[in-house]
Amino acid sequence: MTYYAIDFETANNYQNSACSVGVVRFVNGVEKGSVYSLIKPAKMYFRPDFTDIHGISYGDVRHSPEFPEVWQTVVEPFLKSSGEEKIHFVAHNAQFDMGVIRACCDYFGMPLPNADYACTLQIARKVWKELESHRLTYLAEQFGIVYDAHNALDDARTCGKIFAMAAKELGCSIEELFLGSL
């Protein structure tokens, strides 16, 4: 099964303020490619505390393309290259990332992608109940995954790995975990 781990960073509290996106393709739990792009947010306001977290500022994105161009020229071609009709997204706290897609599509008058999704935060809470936290950074630390937290591409990659690890832990296929997690 092909799935796409996706992560967004935002400039402020508005879900349509995407300032970066990372997408990693996994086939049966093995990474097979990735894309990353900075995005000029719909409104160019960066909360300083958000910049402190992800390190992206106005200066970094002022000449970057807006969401429609990034989605149509970077993300969509990457998603469609697998030939799948329906896209299977995996995200850590998927409600946030799917909300960013919805808010950006709504803001720019774009159609929503034909996609479903699974949330590795919810899955991790069920699979590793004994852990004191299920934040992506904590899970990565527990499982020896070294990555650059709050970098959209690294967050997506780590999320995709956690998803595959959860399937292995449960003794099920990637597809069974995906379908069972909806």
Side-chain angles (χ1 to χ4, degrees), residues 2-174:
T2 299
Y3 64 93
Y4 294 86
I6 189 167
D7 185 75
F8 288 94
E9 298 299 329
T10 56
N12 54 57
N13 287 336
Y14 293 98
Q15 285 191 305
N16 68 356
S17 72
C19 61
S20 72
V21 61
V23 185
V24 181
R25 178 187 303 117
F26 287 84
V27 178
N28 297 322
V30 178
E31 182 177 341
K32 295 294 184 179
S34 64
V35 293
Y36 172 83
S37 184
L38 291 173
I39 303 169
K40 183 178 179 180
K43 300 220 185 315
M44 283 293 281
Y45 165 66
F46 279 79
R47 281 188 44 168
D49 55 331
F50 281 43
T51 295
D52 289 345
I53 291 169
H54 53 56
I56 301 169
S57 67
Y58 169 86
D60 297 321
V61 301
R62 70 176 182 221
H63 300 299
S64 296
E66 290 184 322
F67 182 85
E69 185 177 346
V70 169
W71 193 262
Q72 292 164 354
T73 65
V74 177
V75 177
E76 243 178 9
F78 180 67
L79 298 174
K80 290 181 177 179
S81 66
S82 70
E84 308 262 339
E85 284 188 35
K86 188 166 199 145
I87 304 303
H88 305 293
F89 283 126
V90 174
H92 202 74
N93 191 14
Q95 185 175 2
F96 170 80
D97 295 288
M98 298 306 106
V100 170
I101 293 172
R102 276 190 300 280
C104 288
C105 286
D106 286 350
Y107 183 85
F108 289 105
M110 298 168 55
L112 288 171
N114 181 20
D116 52 15
Y117 66 89
C119 179
T120 55
L121 176 59
Q122 292 176 0
I123 291 167
R125 286 177 176 155
K126 293 175 186 172
V127 175
W128 297 289
K129 294 175 187 171
E130 73 283 0
L131 295 180
E132 64 185 58
S133 173
H134 297 92
R135 291 184 334 268
L136 192 59
T137 51
Y138 185 83
L139 293 171
E141 181 181 303
Q142 295 304 301
F143 300 127
I145 301 170
V146 178
Y147 82 110
D148 183 12
H150 303 293
N151 169 290
L153 184 58
D154 271 4
D155 282 353
R157 180 174 286 117
T158 301
C159 167
K161 289 177 181 179
I162 296 293
F163 186 73
M165 292 172 69
K168 186 175 181 181
E169 180 74 17
L170 292 171
C172 67
S173 71
I174 296 288

